[in-house]
Amino acid sequence: MTASKSFLIWTSALILVIAFGAYGAFLRLTVGFKVTALNDYYPWGLWIAYDVLTGIALAAGSFSLAFGVYIINKKKFEPLLRPTLLTCLLAYLTTALGLIIDINQPARFWHPMFPLFFQPHSVLFEVYWCISLYIIIQLIEFSPIVAEKLRWKWFYSAMESEKVMVPLVMVGIIVPTLHQSSLGGLFLIAPDKVHPLWYSPILPILFYISALAAAPAMIIIESNISSRVLNRGLELDLLSSLGRAMRYILLVYVAIRFVDLAARGALSYIGDARSLFFLVEILIGFIAPLLLLLPEKFVKSGKILLLASILVVFGVIMNRFDVLLTAWLYPPSGAIYFPTWAEISVTGMLVALEALAFTLAVKYLPIFPEIKREHA
Amino acid sequence: MEWKLSRREFLKSTGSFLVSLPLINTFGSYSSSNKNDPDEMYGFLVDVSRCIGCGDCQAACKIKNNLPVSSDLPYERNERSYWDNYSTLSAYTWTRIRSKKLVKDGKEIVRFIKEQCMHCIDPACASVCFVGALYKTPEGPVIYRADRCVGCRYCVYACPWGVPKWQYDKPFPFIQKCDMCYDRVIEGKKPACVEACKVGALTFGKRKELIEEAKRRISKGGYVNYIYGEEEAGGTCVLYISDVPFDELDFRKVMKFSYPELTQAYLGNMPIVIPSLFVGLLGLYLYSRRRQEVKR
């Protein structure tokens, strides 16, 4: 890939978005939270809903794929590993950056690591530690790619050996499993402030399963984008296998969700103002893609796979926003929250940073093995 | 390079993992470590029937804690009813008097309710705090250790009464809330608000004595037979009695168990979940490798 015109336009557009978001972050750090819509009623807003909850949920692809390739030995998925690992690593890094902008005392981000402050009874403590650990694990998992580029053969072959990779992958599956579910566990503390359509004692399980559903969906979407932009073939048979996995995950998710709602008697809340969000989320985001994926003929169609994946990602994004914001403050307190432009610009900056880093990594690192690179 | 894992090695690694379990067991140990006797905790009793809404407690709190009389926060000024000095608690108002007009025996009356931190026996805010900035002292007050705070605002989210507030008008805010004048309490003095009350609406003491006092007043008549705070959120150090039902005074209906139990029930699973995941993954790995070998 040469520095074509479209590449220049794309990167400069991203840099513009990043610059705008950096200005928003600058205002947050100088003027203060006045530039956000956050207040005592809404301590958490767009940054937690998108940068953290959604960002992490959509980054479940890496450990799911590692499970497939290294644990249950489905080596055919190997070509998907590197791009997925890259996007997930970038998602976690931008989440960390977003959190540092979001917290009141950015310079103290390390406090939970300080042994005298340890609070293992806090769900957030577990989330913090698991996310930090997982970033380190992903960096180690990513290191062979850099080593290959730098031609450190000894390092590369040492890292790729099963003796190193399998234990690393096992820890790299347990740690995200814990924090994907613990992100749902954060909300358990507020049973009388979160709307019953979303509050559930099994929120951790629901968060975990929906993140698992998002994993194949994200891989399918990313494969489609990269195949179009980089003019590489689409691994349709691999994506169909992912579609089949997604079908079963969605089936389990929808079943558990409705059994849980019925068991808690929460179905009677359908009909109040917020249930519209619930219906859109569950019908368009989970049930529609499930129906799309049921016929075997549809799973083999690239277009329907892509459509179902987009719907699932929409459903997971909407679910995270609903749990954090739509469901918040029930019964209603009168306070409403809508993010300001400064909040939106910072979130935009994080997404653009991810896209820019991905673009550059694909250009300079051996991410897609079959593409010829300039310096390879 | 093939990694050969024998049965013996499998058992050895699983065994060593199980031995390390007591370490993981620190998850969920919060409630058991919090063994302070609630009877011995300090708190105060608010007698709604005696409060005349003079606001001296509010003023005393502002003076003691060096808080501005009015702030930039929009909610402090919004929708204030005639009798309210502040429309809500905020980072700059740690206690306030709220008024409520209602009808009792065919007459329109007004009642005044003092709001501040409830100082739970097992506070949700302290349980969710991941650096121990919010801390339940053995003496009763729930205090805030600003030097630890990262500012995640989980406490603001978690408190069933919405007591912890933050300085969202600043770039680097801190959490702010009533600390029951902890410095005064450990010196053996009453909190500033209790000392300022001239009509006997506030009574300071140990929780056990306060409950006895509340029951004595209720038994004399004229009160609703209910002590708000005796069971709310697993019990609080601030207690309320009233001559009109608490529902009519818009007291928040909260769960009658300690909120941290909800998250501990989840975190308590970790000692089972983590080793099960480990054993499950190892088992699946060995199984699928063996299957591949057989195929060959």
Side-chain angles (χ1 to χ4, degrees):
Chain A
M1 208 165 79
T2 49
S4 63
K5 201 175 167 190
S6 57
F7 176 81
L8 283 177
I9 293 172
W10 169 241
T11 44
S12 23
L14 288 177
I15 288 168
L16 267 180
V17 176
I18 293 169
F20 186 53
Y23 179 62
F26 173 76
L27 287 182
R28 137 76 188 98
L29 293 169
T30 50
V31 179
F33 282 93
K34 275 178 188 168
V35 300
T36 72
L38 299 172
N39 56 44
D40 285 326
Y41 297 92
Y42 282 89
W44 291 345
L46 175 70
W47 291 341
I48 298 294
Y50 189 83
D51 309 350
V52 181
L53 296 181
T54 310
I56 299 288
L58 298 185
S62 179
F63 80 87
S64 313
L65 211 52
F67 174 80
V69 173
Y70 291 102
I71 303 295
I72 54 172
N73 213 355
K74 301 264 187 247
K75 294 282 185 249
K76 62 172 179 176
F77 289 116
E78 226 164 357
L80 299 176
L81 264 180
R82 286 186 169 189
T84 310
L85 177 58
L86 176 63
T87 47
C88 293
L89 173 64
L90 291 175
Y92 273 81
L93 289 175
T94 48
T95 292
L97 179 63
L99 269 175
I100 286 174
I101 298 167
D102 177 77
I103 57 174
N104 294 353
Q105 310 288 337
R108 294 180 178 181
F109 72 92
W110 54 275
H111 272 201
M113 285 190 208
F114 184 57
L116 288 179
F117 294 168
F118 276 9
Q119 300 293 317
H121 51 72
S122 165
V123 182
L124 192 58
F125 182 79
E126 201 215 312
V127 170
Y128 178 95
W129 268 90
C130 283
I131 290 184
S132 309
L133 267 179
Y134 192 49
I135 289 178
I136 296 169
I137 293 169
Q138 285 187 98
L139 285 171
I140 300 172
E141 286 176 339
F142 194 75
S143 63
I145 304 178
V146 182
E148 190 189 317
K149 168 77 186 170
L150 299 175
R151 301 179 184 214
W152 293 358
K153 281 212 174 106
W154 59 275
F155 183 85
Y156 178 76
S157 50
M159 283 300 299
E160 292 283 273
S161 80
E162 281 206 3
K163 213 166 193 167
V164 176
M165 222 43 186
V166 172
L168 187 69
V169 162
M170 278 190 193
V171 182
I173 292 169
I174 294 174
V175 167
T177 297
L178 294 183
H179 72 246
Q180 289 284 4
S181 38
S182 289
L183 282 174
L186 290 177
F187 304 99
L188 294 176
I189 197 76
D192 40 18
K193 292 197 285 185
V194 177
H195 192 284
L197 279 174
W198 287 279
Y199 182 89
S200 158
I202 60 159
L203 262 179
I205 296 172
L206 293 174
F207 264 52
Y208 184 59
I209 302 177
S210 54
L212 286 185
M218 283 302 283
I219 297 172
I220 291 171
I221 293 174
E222 284 157 9
S223 294
N224 271 281
I225 295 173
S226 63
S227 84
R228 228 159 273 182
V229 175
L230 303 172
N231 289 322
R232 47 187 284 279
L234 192 64
E235 311 92 333
L236 193 56
D237 56 323
L238 286 186
L239 300 190
S240 298
S241 307
L242 291 178
R244 264 172 232 124
M246 192 156 69
R247 172 206 291 162
Y248 297 116
I249 299 169
L250 284 174
L251 194 64
V252 171
Y253 180 79
V254 171
I256 293 186
R257 188 92 189 263
F258 276 100
V259 168
D260 169 62
L261 283 168
R264 289 184 294 110
L267 284 171
S268 57
Y269 286 89
I270 292 178
D272 82 353
R274 300 189 209 198
S275 66
L276 183 66
F277 287 83
F278 168 78
L279 290 174
V280 170
E281 174 198 322
I282 196 85
L283 292 178
I284 299 179
F286 294 99
I287 292 177
L290 173 62
L291 295 178
L292 277 179
L293 292 173
L294 274 181
E296 190 57 32
K297 196 175 71 185
F298 284 7
V299 177
K300 286 183 179 138
S301 147
K303 275 186 185 147
I304 289 180
L305 270 179
L306 181 62
L307 175 64
S309 300
I310 291 170
L311 290 179
V312 170
V313 168
F314 167 80
V316 172
I317 295 176
M318 184 137 180
N319 175 256
R320 298 308 191 262
F321 274 79
D322 280 348
V323 171
L324 184 71
L325 295 172
T326 312
W328 183 233
L329 293 180
Y330 183 82
S333 69
I336 51 161
Y337 168 84
F338 193 84
T340 60
W341 68 265
E343 285 174 270
I344 296 169
S345 75
V346 170
T347 294
M349 168 181 82
L350 297 175
V351 176
L353 268 175
E354 236 178 295
L356 184 65
F358 187 85
T359 310
L360 295 178
V362 169
K363 200 167 158 64
Y364 295 112
L365 289 174
I367 304 294
F368 295 101
E370 75 276 16
I371 296 175
K372 281 189 183 146
R373 283 165 304 275
E374 286 165 88
H375 309 287
Chain B
M1 199 157 65
E2 264 291 88
W3 179 34
K4 290 280 180 207
L5 189 81
S6 65
R7 196 181 121 94
R8 191 194 148 97
E9 277 175 309
F10 172 73
L11 291 175
K12 214 168 77 184
S13 51
T14 313
S16 60
F17 202 84
L18 292 175
V19 169
S20 66
L21 271 189
L23 284 175
I24 305 163
N25 218 351
T26 51
F27 284 116
S29 62
Y30 176 70
S31 300
S32 53
S33 70
N34 193 9
K35 278 184 193 134
N36 300 314
D37 182 7
D39 289 346
E40 291 301 305
M41 289 175 184
Y42 285 101
F44 52 87
L45 174 67
V46 184
D47 190 332
V48 175
S49 70
R50 291 187 185 179
C51 182
I52 58 166
C54 66
D56 276 7
C57 51
Q58 266 180 190
C61 177
K62 292 247 175 189
I63 293 165
K64 154 75 175 55
N65 296 304
N66 234 335
L67 300 169
V69 174
S70 70
S71 79
D72 282 347
L73 301 184
Y75 289 97
E76 286 217 341
R77 287 174 270 109
N78 281 351
E79 298 163 23
R80 206 198 288 166
S81 84
Y82 181 75
W83 295 99
D84 296 0
N85 284 317
Y86 296 95
S87 67
T88 165
L89 292 180
S90 79
Y92 307 104
T93 304
W94 298 357
T95 185
R96 71 156 188 145
I97 299 287
R98 164 169 78 83
S99 66
K100 175 73 184 174
K101 272 189 193 162
L102 49 107
V103 177
K104 190 191 177 192
D105 306 329
K107 270 195 300 185
E108 193 172 77
I109 57 165
V110 179
R111 285 291 172 270
F112 301 98
I113 303 111
K114 184 180 182 294
E115 283 184 348
Q116 73 295 304
C117 175
M118 298 292 289
H119 298 281
C120 307
I121 293 168
D122 194 6
C125 60
S127 89
V128 300
C129 183
F130 67 159
V131 287
L134 283 155
Y135 171 67
K136 176 73 179 175
T137 60
E139 295 88 353
V142 179
I143 60 164
Y144 172 62
R145 300 186 283 198
D147 54 331
R148 292 183 173 212
C149 183
V150 174
C152 65
R153 312 188 287 276
Y154 195 6
C155 49
V156 183
Y157 187 91
C159 174
W161 284 280
V163 166
K165 303 290 189 188
W166 58 299
Q167 301 162 321
Y168 56 90
D169 53 334
K170 292 188 176 170
F172 305 108
F174 287 102
I175 302 296
Q176 301 283 289
K177 71 180 262 308
C178 159
D179 63 352
M180 212 199 279
C181 296
Y182 184 57
D183 51 344
R184 291 175 60 97
V185 169
I186 51 174
E187 281 173 20
K189 292 189 211 158
K190 294 173 183 175
C193 57
V194 178
E195 198 167 82
C197 184
K198 296 176 187 68
V199 291
L202 302 175
T203 314
F204 180 72
K206 288 190 171 163
R207 190 170 184 270
K208 193 184 172 188
E209 300 159 10
L210 294 176
I211 291 176
E212 282 165 10
E213 171 66 17
K215 284 183 176 157
R216 191 160 56 239
R217 287 191 207 169
I218 289 169
S219 66
K220 275 189 201 161
Y223 288 94
V224 176
N225 186 14
Y226 191 83
I227 306 172
Y228 187 90
E230 194 178 7
E231 290 174 344
E232 270 71 15
T236 58
C237 287
V238 176
L239 302 159
Y240 289 81
I241 50 171
S242 163
D243 59 337
V244 283
F246 287 99
D247 289 352
E248 292 178 31
L249 293 172
D250 298 340
F251 271 69
R252 220 187 138 79
K253 275 209 187 81
V254 302
M255 304 284 175
K256 300 207 171 167
F257 53 77
S258 111
Y259 281 65
E261 279 172 23
L262 293 164
T263 42
Q264 297 330 308
Y266 165 66
L267 284 176
N269 292 329
M270 292 304 149
I272 306 158
V273 170
I274 297 172
S276 320
L277 281 172
F278 179 77
V279 174
L281 286 175
L282 199 56
L284 270 175
Y285 168 69
L286 292 175
Y287 168 76
S288 42
R289 213 182 55 173
R290 178 87 192 123
R291 235 176 66 159
Q292 200 193 22
E293 278 166 16
V294 170
K295 249 187 209 169
R296 246 186 244 146

